Each structure stands twice: as C-alpha cells, then as structure tokens.
Amino acid sequence: MKTPERGNSGFWSMLRQGGVPSAIASVMGGNSAQQMAFIRSLTREQRRPEMLHTPLNKLKTVIFDLETTGFHVQQGDEILSIGALKAEGENIMEEERFYTLVQAKRPVPQRITELTGITQPMIDEAPPLIDGLHDFMNFVGDRVLVAHASAHDKAFLNAALWKTSKVNLGHRVIDTMMIARWLEPHRQSYALDSLLTGRGIPIEGRHHALEDAKMTAKLWSSYLSDISQQKRAETLGDLYDCLSHAL
C-alpha cells in the first residue's frame, strides 16, 4: 500500500509520531488506538547507530517464528500464530517466552491445519491481530530480532503492522540462514531441519511457532559460540559487515 502524499500530512504526521487524533480514536475504540500508538512509538528509531557497537556476547535478542495461512503475503495470506523467546548473547532465557494465536480473515487451509495443528475454531476464538501484535512488540521492546529465513517473517510482520498501525518494522533483524551460509558455505541445504541436525539439536514440535523459535534460538546460540571461538566478529556491526561480504 502506498503511503499518502505529504501534502495531506496532518493525520499521517501524527500517526508517524505515535499519536492518534481523538476523533479517530473514538471510532477505533480507545484501547485499539492506544495499542496502535504504542506500536508506532516502539518501531521508531530502532536502528540507532550506537547499537552496532554492542558486543555479541551481550546482545539482547528476541528469536521468533510465525505460522501463517500460506507463504504468499502479497496474495492475502495472514499470520496465525507468533512464538518467541529472549536471549542475551549465547544465553537463552527459556523462562522469557511468548506465544499467541491471532485472528485471521482468511480461512485456515486444511494443509496448514495438518502441518501446524492450528484449526479454524482455534483462530475464531483467538485475540484480534492488533492485540497479538501489541503484546508481541511489547515483549520485543528494543531488542534485535532473530529468525530463520527471516524474509518470510519480516514480510508478514510488515503487512500486519501496516494493516493495524500504518507502520513498518523498524527493528534490526538477523537471519540464521544467512549466518549458516557465511559459516558453512559448502552445505547442500540451509533448511532449518538440516541445520538443526547438523548441529545435533533435537527436532521437536516443528511448525509450532514457539517450538520453532526455541530450536532457532539454540541454532543462534551455537553460531554465536562458533563466531566467538573463531574470533570472526565481536560486535553487531562486525556481524553485519561479515554477512554483507558473504552474500
């Protein structure tokens, strides 16, 4: 969706600053308006240059995964569930976890139910999308996001954030698939299952957003250990630089 021209900037400027006009808030409902404003304020200024100097062993991250109605966000596929947990450096904070189903307008295809276990009645009873996004973004805070094959997740998050709050994801995102391509350039497969097996990480509960996030977190932790031992990168900026040259 194209952003409106700046000539009609009063309303959109207020949205960009995290606010919602009172008339619109009345129509939306106060709670939704506050959630929208919170999401917008949180996504601003997430790419602070000083964050690039953060040592990888102290980097605060949220490793996340989504389940969706399909793989084509441009064709209307939507988020069904969000799973995530926090880490600091290699330390995975198992107790700091997040999971929610969210309502979707597109019906849950049978193949997705067979793959994920998510049924239409579960989605019908789930929280609205904006509630799920608000809670997830609150869980993330200002941490760096980590995902496997992150282009898929970023596209769906951006679509959902724009639909609910007219904002794009501002957080930095690290892709464990890109790290795998850098560290192990001669692998035949960079699929999550293959990488988990290669690292001796048990595969349990695949295609459940939280379980996939847990396994991706273990993969991320394993990669950080390798990077540290091999002295290949010390800071977040170093890591981005190495990944950019590996493409």
Side-chain angles (χ1 to χ4, degrees), residues 196 200-204 215 218:
L196 292 170
I201 299 170
I203 299 173
E204 301 173 343
M215 289 181 284
K218 292 177 181 178

Short mmCIF file of all heavy atoms in Angstrom, two decimals, residues 196 200-204 215 218:
data_model
loop_
_atom_site.label_atom_id
_atom_site.label_comp_id
_atom_site.label_asym_id
_atom_site.label_seq_id
_atom_site.Cartn_x
_atom_site.Cartn_y
_atom_site.Cartn_z
N LEU A 196 19.61 -27.89 12.01
CA LEU A 196 19.44 -28.42 13.37
C LEU A 196 20.11 -29.78 13.50
O LEU A 196 20.83 -30.04 14.48
CB LEU A 196 17.96 -28.52 13.71
CG LEU A 196 17.19 -27.20 13.86
CD1 LEU A 196 15.69 -27.47 13.96
CD2 LEU A 196 17.66 -26.41 15.07
N GLY A 200 23.33 -31.12 15.88
CA GLY A 200 22.94 -32.03 16.95
C GLY A 200 21.83 -31.50 17.84
O GLY A 200 21.72 -31.89 19.01
N ILE A 201 21.00 -30.60 17.30
CA ILE A 201 19.88 -30.03 18.06
C ILE A 201 18.64 -30.86 17.79
O ILE A 201 18.23 -31.01 16.63
CB ILE A 201 19.64 -28.57 17.66
CG1 ILE A 201 20.89 -27.72 17.96
CG2 ILE A 201 18.42 -28.00 18.40
CD1 ILE A 201 20.85 -26.32 17.38
N PRO A 202 18.02 -31.44 18.82
CA PRO A 202 16.82 -32.27 18.61
C PRO A 202 15.70 -31.50 17.93
O PRO A 202 15.47 -30.32 18.25
CB PRO A 202 16.42 -32.68 20.03
CG PRO A 202 17.68 -32.54 20.84
CD PRO A 202 18.41 -31.37 20.23
N ILE A 203 15.03 -32.15 17.00
CA ILE A 203 13.91 -31.54 16.30
C ILE A 203 12.63 -32.00 16.97
O ILE A 203 12.25 -33.18 16.90
CB ILE A 203 13.91 -31.92 14.81
CG1 ILE A 203 15.21 -31.42 14.15
CG2 ILE A 203 12.70 -31.34 14.09
CD1 ILE A 203 15.39 -31.88 12.71
N GLU A 204 11.95 -31.08 17.63
CA GLU A 204 10.75 -31.40 18.38
C GLU A 204 9.69 -30.32 18.15
O GLU A 204 9.97 -29.13 18.28
CB GLU A 204 11.06 -31.49 19.88
CG GLU A 204 12.09 -32.55 20.23
CD GLU A 204 12.50 -32.51 21.70
OE1 GLU A 204 12.25 -31.48 22.37
OE2 GLU A 204 13.09 -33.51 22.15
N MET A 215 14.03 -23.84 18.82
CA MET A 215 15.08 -24.52 18.08
C MET A 215 15.97 -23.52 17.34
O MET A 215 17.19 -23.69 17.26
CB MET A 215 14.47 -25.55 17.12
CG MET A 215 13.87 -26.74 17.84
SD MET A 215 13.16 -28.01 16.75
CE MET A 215 11.61 -27.22 16.29
N LYS A 218 18.44 -22.08 19.76
CA LYS A 218 19.58 -22.97 20.00
C LYS A 218 20.57 -22.90 18.85
O LYS A 218 21.79 -22.95 19.06
CB LYS A 218 19.09 -24.41 20.21
CG LYS A 218 18.31 -24.59 21.50
CD LYS A 218 17.76 -26.00 21.64
CE LYS A 218 16.95 -26.15 22.92
NZ LYS A 218 16.37 -27.50 23.05
#
